[in-house]
Amino acid sequence: MPRPICAHIHTAALAANLERARRCAADARVWAVVKANAYGHGIERVWGAFRSADGFALLDLQEAERVRALGWRGPILLLEGVFEARDLELCSRLSLWHTVHCDEQIDMLAAHKTQQPQRVFLKLNSGMNRLGFAPPRYRSAWARLNALTQVDEISHMTHFSDADGPRGIAHQWQAFCTATRDLPGERSVCNSAAILRHAGDAQVRGDWVRTGIALYGSAPDFPEHSAATWELAPTMTLSTQLLAVQQLQAGDSVGYGSRFIAEAPMRIGVAACGYADGYPRHADTGTPVLVGGVRTRLVGRVSMDMVTVDLEPVFSAGVEPGFGTEVTLWGRSGSGTVLPIDEVAQAAGTVGYELMCALAQRVPVLTD
Ligand SMILES: Cc1ncc(COP(=O)(O)O)c(C=O)c1O
């Protein structure tokens, strides 16, 4: 008998979230970002729901091979471009479009022998200071690429650091407009936060938007907005069951380090999920959880294979929890109650992205 823990991937929600992003992106084409194994959901599991995307964007060449193996013939963009010269052979063989963010990648292209010129996205470092050419170097990089017979169309891209917050995108957008002024080629600047918050402006939308986290039902700017306010549906549910119920007396402690001490008699449940399943160890007492569809809280420290939960609100709601009662760590309970992954992430000092991506291999995954 396997442990009762299980993750469900909701394909209808994935498809609905893609449509939601598309509505915000209006006439722009939509890259479905499926890096990190589709943000932990599994490329093969999301692929059917994302078939109506205009392209798939990812980092890993093996992931690109998997998308092609599924039968996708449309565009695939490598968001960090190639890592070594021989990657360009795979780009030719699989018709991959790739980002060019540094001189070394242009050198590799210049030395590459190919019949088929390649489509590239030249990346501007407009202020995030991770990847891309600094504004003063951008136009010379473009000119160098433009002179190569190995290169076909050159598009322009940048990535926003603050599309989800008060600083916004204006400073980077300005740098992008200045660096790319009058250069031919398509443009792509928006991630999920920019799509939801800033893509009302057709110029900012550009030709392609790159949406990741919104597809997976998480709000990029939580807690300012929730997934529900953005009309995004949860795409991953992590659920398990109670293994035991304990009666505590005032002064009794729970779990490693006795981090929780009961102030009064109370019942707690022990659920089969721990940090070895990808549940965040930093989730503290108070982190929300659903038991039998009723919202309650974690108590005590998360251990490798178990968490402990306060059952008092569950009894108060008229549910009699016991061995085998459903526990929803995030996502949608059997009764339909939703516990947003963003709320769990916030309580654990992280973001929904990290929780999805951290789902452990040992957790069985079902698709519905
Ligand atoms: C270059 C690039 N574009 C788009 C995205 C998608 O971002 P998000 O998941 O916030 O939509 C990412 C993700 O980090 C990225 O690195």
Side-chain angles (χ1 to χ4, degrees):
M1 183 63 186
R3 290 167 74 232
I5 190 164
C6 181
H8 278 87
I9 304 300
H10 310 302
T11 47
L14 290 162
N17 293 341
L18 173 60
E19 280 320 300
R20 173 77 181 105
R22 199 179 269 298
R23 284 202 302 283
C24 291
D27 43 359
R29 276 159 288 160
V30 178
W31 292 111
V33 181
V34 294
K35 66 191 174 117
N37 199 22
Y39 290 49
H41 289 62
I43 286 179
E44 287 73 13
R45 292 187 201 101
V46 303
W47 136 260
F50 292 166
R51 260 179 202 198
S52 65
D54 299 293
F56 288 87
L58 40 75
L59 302 187
D60 200 302
L61 280 97
Q62 285 177 342
E63 291 186 341
E65 284 184 300
R66 282 162 61 191
V67 173
R68 282 283 180 250
L70 287 163
W72 176 253
R73 292 175 189 281
I76 297 179
L77 175 64
L78 299 177
L79 288 167
E80 292 181 358
V82 296
F83 302 101
E84 57 178 331
R86 66 179 174 172
D87 294 346
L88 290 170
E89 289 157 27
L90 198 69
C91 290
S92 291
R93 187 153 57 79
L94 298 181
S95 293
L96 306 180
W97 301 1
H98 51 101
T99 300
V100 172
H101 64 77
C102 63
D103 291 311
E104 290 79 357
Q105 290 175 326
I106 304 184
D107 296 341
M108 289 183 226
L109 265 167
H112 181 52
K113 298 198 180 0
T114 179
Q115 311 289 336
Q116 204 63 39
Q118 298 187 350
R119 168 98 183 243
V120 297
F121 277 60
L122 182 61
K123 185 160 186 176
L124 175 74
N125 172 11
S126 58
M128 194 175 204
N129 290 312
R130 293 193 317 189
L131 300 181
F133 290 91
R137 298 238 23 250
Y138 190 77
R139 295 176 88 85
S140 60
W142 182 86
R144 231 192 121 196
L145 275 179
N146 194 43
L148 295 182
T149 53
Q150 292 89 341
V151 172
D152 178 20
E153 224 177 301
I154 307 171
S155 303
H156 306 278
M157 72 183 285
T158 197
H159 194 51
F160 294 133
S161 55
D162 291 81
D164 57 335
R167 193 172 181 210
I169 62 167
H171 59 298
Q172 286 185 267
W173 173 242
Q174 192 51 53
F176 181 78
C177 291
T178 307
T180 60
R181 182 169 299 134
D182 301 331
L183 292 178
E186 295 190 329
R187 281 148 170 78
S188 176
V189 299
C190 288
N191 60 355
S192 296
I195 294 166
L196 294 168
R197 293 167 67 99
H198 304 286
D201 178 338
Q203 282 221 310
V204 172
R205 276 200 305 275
D207 301 290
W208 291 88
V209 297
R210 309 184 302 267
T211 179
I213 196 68
L215 299 180
Y216 305 100
S218 171
D221 56 355
F222 185 83
E224 187 182 342
H225 294 99
S226 67
T229 51
W230 286 127
E231 297 171 39
L232 298 168
T235 58
M236 180 190 282
T237 292
L238 180 62
S239 61
T240 187
Q241 294 176 5
L242 290 183
L243 300 176
V245 174
Q246 302 291 349
Q247 172 70 57
L248 305 186
Q249 302 305 324
D252 283 349
S253 66
V254 179
Y256 288 118
S258 302
R259 286 279 283 259
F260 176 81
I261 302 200
E263 286 174 0
M266 66 183 287
R267 287 152 292 185
I268 61 152
V270 182
C273 174
Y275 61 78
D277 298 299
Y279 192 83
R281 184 172 178 276
H282 290 109
D284 222 336
T285 292
T287 300
V289 58
L290 304 176
V291 176
V294 178
R295 193 176 166 111
T296 179
R297 59 175 181 147
L298 227 65
V299 290
R301 191 171 265 171
V302 173
S303 47
M304 184 184 281
D305 311 303
M306 284 175 268
V307 290
T308 35
V309 299
D310 181 356
L311 293 180
E312 291 308 317
V314 186
F315 281 105
S316 301
V319 174
E320 287 280 322
F323 182 89
T325 299
E326 175 200 53
V327 177
T328 309
L329 286 319
W330 60 71
R332 195 179 289 277
S333 74
S335 61
T337 311
V338 170
L339 174 56
I341 194 167
D342 296 323
E343 288 189 34
V344 180
Q346 186 186 40
T350 184
V351 285
Y353 296 74
E354 188 180 358
L355 298 191
M356 296 170 185
C357 292
L359 187 71
Q361 280 263 311
R362 76 174 188 178
V363 177
V365 183
L366 299 174
T367 316
D368 59 33

